[in-house]
Every structure is written in C-alpha cells, then in structure tokens.
Amino acid sequence: MESGPAIFVGTVFALFGGGLLIWTAVRVRHGEPVAFGVNRVASATLASVAGVGALALGMWCLTRA
C-alpha cells in the first residue's frame, strides 16, 4: 500500500530534476540566461544543483518503494 505514493513522488522528482537539467543545459549551450537579472554562472550552477538534488531525491524515493 505504501509503495504507490513513493513511486509517484519518486517519478515526479526524477522527471522534474531531469527536465530542469536538460532545460539548463540547452539555455547554457545557446548562451541564453537561465534566470533574468541574475549572474549567468550563479543561476546555471544553482539550477544544476537543484536538478541533481531532485534527481537524487527521486532515486532515493524509488529505492524505498
């Protein structure tokens, strides 16, 4: 019974983290800002850390299911 919500949350975090990493990589590759009005390096770094963190949290949830 408890594995259903863990699988759902793990999938949501994994999709969000992967999507954020792909979006950040595309923005950086095209030379476009990741966040307007913020230093490009800082915003790309913060977005990458958040993406990796979401992926890690998603994988952790999926291993606990």
Side-chain angles (χ1 to χ4, degrees), residues 6 12-15 21 28 30 35 38 40 49 51 53 64:
V12 168
F13 273 118
L15 287 173
L21 286 174
V28 168
H30 288 156
V38 182
R40 287 186 182 199
V49 169
R64 302 291 179 205

Side-chain angles (χ1 to χ4, degrees), residues 39-61:
N39 184 354
R40 287 186 182 199
V41 175
S43 62
T45 302
L46 184 61
S48 297
V49 169
V52 169
L55 272 176
L57 188 59
M59 292 302 113
W60 181 79
C61 287

